Amino acid sequence: QVQLVESGGGLVQPGGSLRLSCAASGNIFRINTMAWYRQAPGKERELVATITNGGNTNYADSVKGRSTISRDNAKITNYLQMNSLLPEDTAVYYCKADIIATGAGWRVVTYWGQGTQVTVSS
């Protein structure tokens, strides 16, 4: 009933920028915390950034100062703006959202997007 779709990934040169989008759809009552994770080949999935319903944000040390997470509640979409990209930023980026959906018994359920590939290389 709820779906998250990421977009905005691709190939970018070191030092470049991109903006990832995560669009939510479905019978959504409220989206609480939204987050971005990433997983590089052979590595564990790691948290990149979070944003609460109230707009409070947190960032992993590896991206702090280079990334900004935001949300547009009217469009039920969140964004991850990444600047000064490094080769080590290469990973599949996943959107995660804690959502109260009317079709899920009015309880908080965590949803994941399918991921979008970010490759930083010259």
Side-chain angles (χ1 to χ4, degrees):
Q1 295 185 9
V2 174
Q3 186 176 16
L4 303 178
V5 179
E6 302 100 329
S7 62
L11 176 64
V12 62
Q13 294 184 349
S17 300
L18 55 77
R19 186 181 72 164
L20 305 182
S21 299
C22 175
S25 62
N27 299 117
I28 299 171
F29 175 74
R30 184 174 69 221
I31 301 178
N32 293 333
T33 299
M34 303 187 76
W36 285 94
Y37 287 73
R38 67 185 182 187
Q39 187 167 22
K43 295 186 177 182
E44 297 292 323
R45 187 171 299 185
E46 64 176 352
L47 178 65
V48 178
T50 64
I51 183 167
T52 68
N53 186 55
N56 294 322
T57 60
N58 284 284
Y59 301 92
D61 289 339
S62 59
V63 303
K64 187 176 297 183
R66 302 187 295 120
S67 300
T68 302
I69 186 171
S70 61
R71 61 192 290 169
D72 186 335
N73 291 329
K75 298 179 179 179
I76 47 177
T77 300
N78 84 77
Y79 308 91
L80 181 67
Q81 176 70 42
M82 302 188 69
N83 304 315
S84 302
L85 286 163
L86 304 169
E88 47 263 46
D89 293 319
T90 296
V92 177
Y93 284 70
Y94 297 91
C95 177
K96 188 189 80 171
D98 298 325
I99 297 174
I100 300 177
T102 58
W106 295 85
R107 63 188 180 92
V108 177
V109 176
T110 298
Y111 294 90
W112 290 86
Q114 83 285 355
T116 184
Q117 177 71 49
V118 172
T119 302
V120 184
S121 176
S122 59

